[in-house]
Amino acid sequence: MKKIIIIWDSIEIGGVDTYLYNLLISKKFQNKSITILTNHNNNAKRYLGKKLKNFKGINILDYYSFFSISYSSFPLRVVYFFLKPILFLFSIYNFISIFRKKSYDVIIGQCGNYGNLRSEQAALIAASIIKIPKKILVVHHECNKPTVFMGFINNLVNFYLNKILNEIVTVSYASKKSLLKKSKFLTKKKKIKVIHNGIVVKKIKRKNYLNRFFKKEKNYISVCMLSRINSYKGQENLIKMLAYQKKIFEKFNFFFIGSGDKKYVNKL
């Protein structure tokens, strides 16, 4: 039986937990020992754990992440920023000690916003040091440019990952394009595979239950966005983009479906 460990560093409930659920209940992952290693302050782990509780061979374990920390104080944010390279080395050491407790055949780093130092990178480097055979990186979102002063360090990390990774996977061609453009994965274009997110097809009992939310005026265009409602998901950008075209703006009805901060929802 293959032993697979998945590194998942996140804070909020979002798309990656849904992706993991659909992935792990698929036929390809049957009869395998799956360990999901996630940060202790991941708000989505309970949500995913409840959905997977009836599936055998899947365990969710915690670790302390140095990269899921936020500070409200500006001086503390500055200190934390410059400590990240040192914390990255500590993360590698921490993952080595975790991986040595049990031998794994495959490690999969589930990475949201790639571009800066992250736990998934440290875990993959640790996996290389202790010789886990198969090392895979999955990138879900657009790649970010490295922050100022950290470009050189990020390039070193990317260069090393280029050498050790067996596969690099993105969930869209847009993510692949941004990864090639903004990171140093250019030397291995052939290794970046696009595998689109899959869903479990279910029969919907109440097929038209959403109709009561949507206006049916003939001259209106309905724009529906399903995601968490916050600033970096882009709802405000969508409104502003269409607001520049004042003649057509009033012909649109916006439907944002998801949970969010009340103040920001009111702002929208």
Side-chain angles (χ1 to χ4, degrees):
M1 180 184 289
K2 280 194 174 181
K3 296 176 182 177
I4 301 172
I5 185 163
I6 296 172
I7 311 301
W8 174 37
D9 201 327
S10 184
I11 297 293
E12 300 293 341
I13 295 174
V16 177
D17 45 89
T18 302
Y19 158 89
L20 282 173
Y21 171 73
N22 291 325
L23 181 74
L24 296 179
I25 66 171
S26 66
K27 291 181 180 179
K28 295 288 185 182
F29 279 80
Q30 299 302 309
N31 301 317
K32 292 178 175 62
S33 172
I34 311 291
T35 300
I36 302 172
L37 191 61
T38 187
N39 49 303
H40 71 287
N41 55 341
N42 183 353
N43 293 322
K45 66 182 176 183
R46 287 185 181 178
Y47 170 76
L48 181 61
K50 286 181 180 179
K51 294 178 74 174
L52 292 172
K53 67 179 181 180
N54 295 324
F55 293 88
K56 295 180 180 179
I58 301 176
N59 296 303
I60 301 178
L61 303 177
D62 289 356
Y63 71 95
Y64 186 86
S65 172
F66 295 110
F67 298 97
S68 58
I69 304 170
S70 61
Y71 295 103
S72 57
S73 168
F74 178 73
L76 283 176
R77 290 203 304 269
V78 172
V79 172
Y80 174 60
F81 175 79
F82 286 105
L83 281 177
K84 280 187 175 181
I86 298 171
L87 295 175
F88 188 75
L89 295 175
F90 275 114
S91 292
I92 294 173
Y93 176 80
N94 187 36
F95 282 118
I96 288 173
S97 63
I98 292 172
F99 296 157
R100 278 181 174 160
K101 295 176 182 177
K102 185 178 180 180
S103 59
Y104 295 99
D105 302 299
V106 182
I107 178 170
I108 306 174
Q110 297 289 346
C111 189
N113 295 319
Y114 193 87
N116 294 301
L117 295 178
R118 293 182 59 98
S119 294
E120 298 89 352
Q121 297 166 321
L124 289 163
I125 292 171
S128 174
I129 293 170
I130 66 166
K131 302 188 183 325
I132 292 178
K134 194 82 170 179
K135 295 166 285 292
I136 302 168
L137 173 67
V138 182
V139 179
H140 290 268
H141 301 152
E142 180 186 10
C143 180
N144 296 324
K145 285 185 177 180
T147 50
V148 182
F149 306 118
M150 293 294 177
F152 176 72
I153 295 170
N154 278 280
N155 289 342
L156 286 176
V157 171
N158 289 336
F159 178 78
Y160 186 71
L161 289 176
N162 265 331
K163 288 181 170 289
I164 67 170
L165 290 174
N166 299 99
E167 300 288 351
I168 302 168
V169 177
T170 65
V171 299
S172 71
Y173 285 102
S175 295
K176 177 180 178 178
K177 186 178 179 180
S178 72
L179 197 62
L180 291 171
K181 184 178 179 180
K182 297 178 183 178
S183 75
K184 296 298 181 181
F185 284 117
L186 292 171
T187 57
K188 291 197 174 182
K189 289 183 181 180
K190 63 181 180 180
K191 279 201 169 184
I192 301 181
K193 294 183 178 181
V194 176
I195 303 177
H196 298 289
N197 288 339
I199 60 169
V200 178
V201 178
K202 296 180 180 178
K203 289 184 179 180
I204 300 174
K205 294 180 181 179
R206 295 181 297 150
K207 291 185 178 180
N208 299 316
Y209 75 100
L210 285 176
N211 283 354
R212 62 192 178 94
F213 295 107
F214 298 100
K215 296 180 181 180
K216 296 184 179 180
E217 290 90 342
K218 291 182 179 179
N219 297 324
Y220 276 80
I221 299 170
S222 293
V223 178
C224 180
M225 188 171 178
L226 177 63
S227 72
R228 191 167 62 252
I229 301 174
N230 57 28
S231 58
Y232 66 84
K233 287 295 183 181
Q235 291 94 346
E236 189 171 353
N237 293 337
L238 179 63
I239 293 172
K240 286 181 177 179
M241 177 183 73
L242 290 172
Y244 283 115
Q245 305 295 326
K246 293 183 179 179
K247 292 182 179 180
I248 66 168
F249 180 73
E250 293 182 356
K251 295 181 179 180
F252 283 86
N253 287 321
F254 295 94
F255 298 93
F256 299 137
I257 302 176
S259 61
D261 179 72
K262 288 184 178 180
K263 288 183 179 179
Y264 188 71
V265 171
N266 291 334
K267 180 183 177 182
L268 291 180

